[in-house]
Amino acid sequence: MTVNGNEWVVLVDDAGRHIGSAMKSEVHHRHTPLHLAFSCYLFNENGRVLLTRRALGKLTFPGVWTNSLCGHPAPGEAVPDAVVRRARQELGLEIAELRCVLPDFRYRAVSPEGVVENEICPVFCGRAVGSANPAPAEVMDFAWVRWENVCAAAELGWAISPWATEQVPLLNAAGVGANA
């Protein structure tokens, strides 16, 4: 939900229960409260996954390569609907076959700038429909990559975002690469 140009996020407790909402601009700092987010990995017809490089203007982890897209559902918005909305906004893509693979994923990461990501973050996979046309404020670069190369990057631990570094082995264990 955007009100007067402000995006809102859902605050949650340790069990994932909604306990309130706050403006996104006021949530991410050195003591970020736990909130609801999502990650998504989009595959093309050739089985390659879309990796994106975060725009340099992003508050957390600017310029870092990561999964296809991330975001926050608005208060009252279903998480799958938020994934579809953000794929359109960030990448200009539609999604087919969207499925939640890691419903209980949670992480905490501190960016080099000291801003904390503290999220319950279900992880989705789907098929990209159309050609990527990223929004420059969100994505500075993108590449369609073989899944095994993404797994190798995650093993290095520094080549992609901290959340993707944690998510990729879990997705791989769930057979995501084999199903791409």
Side-chain angles (χ1 to χ4, degrees):
M1 164 176 53
T2 302
V3 177
N4 297 328
N6 294 311
E7 186 178 346
W8 289 74
V9 300
V10 176
L11 303 177
V12 294
D13 65 14
D14 283 332
R17 293 182 296 251
H18 299 200
I19 57 170
S21 59
M23 284 192 299
K24 179 181 171 185
S25 61
E26 296 179 2
V27 170
H28 293 95
H29 45 71
R30 292 187 185 277
H31 304 287
T32 301
L34 185 61
H35 60 280
L36 185 59
F38 63 82
S39 287
C40 184
Y41 293 76
L42 296 176
F43 292 83
N44 66 12
E45 66 279 354
N46 298 321
R48 292 179 183 254
V49 65
L50 177 63
L51 292 187
T52 59
R53 187 171 178 205
R54 295 169 61 83
L56 293 178
K58 299 293 279 182
L59 178 64
T60 59
F61 299 94
V64 172
W65 284 93
T66 192
N67 52 294
S68 305
L69 69 137
C70 301
H72 303 87
E77 182 181 31
V79 179
D81 293 343
V83 175
V84 170
R85 172 179 55 81
R86 290 301 292 168
R88 288 178 185 142
Q89 292 173 339
E90 286 188 28
L91 302 169
L93 288 171
E94 298 296 325
I95 301 174
E97 303 170 32
L98 183 65
R99 67 190 188 285
C100 187
V101 180
L102 303 174
D104 301 318
F105 183 78
R106 179 178 174 174
Y107 79 100
R108 185 178 186 281
V110 181
S111 76
E113 303 78 30
V115 179
V116 175
E117 291 278 8
N118 186 20
E119 300 176 337
I120 291 180
C121 183
V123 181
F124 291 79
C125 292
R127 294 241 178 244
V129 177
S131 298
N133 183 20
E138 298 290 338
V139 176
M140 66 183 292
D141 200 3
F142 69 95
W144 292 97
V145 181
R146 291 180 26 209
W147 181 248
E148 50 270 18
N149 292 348
V150 177
C151 293
E155 282 184 40
L156 294 174
W158 55 264
I160 57 177
S161 68
W163 57 91
T165 299
E166 290 182 40
Q167 292 166 353
V168 167
L170 298 172
L171 290 168
N172 200 45
V176 166
N179 298 326

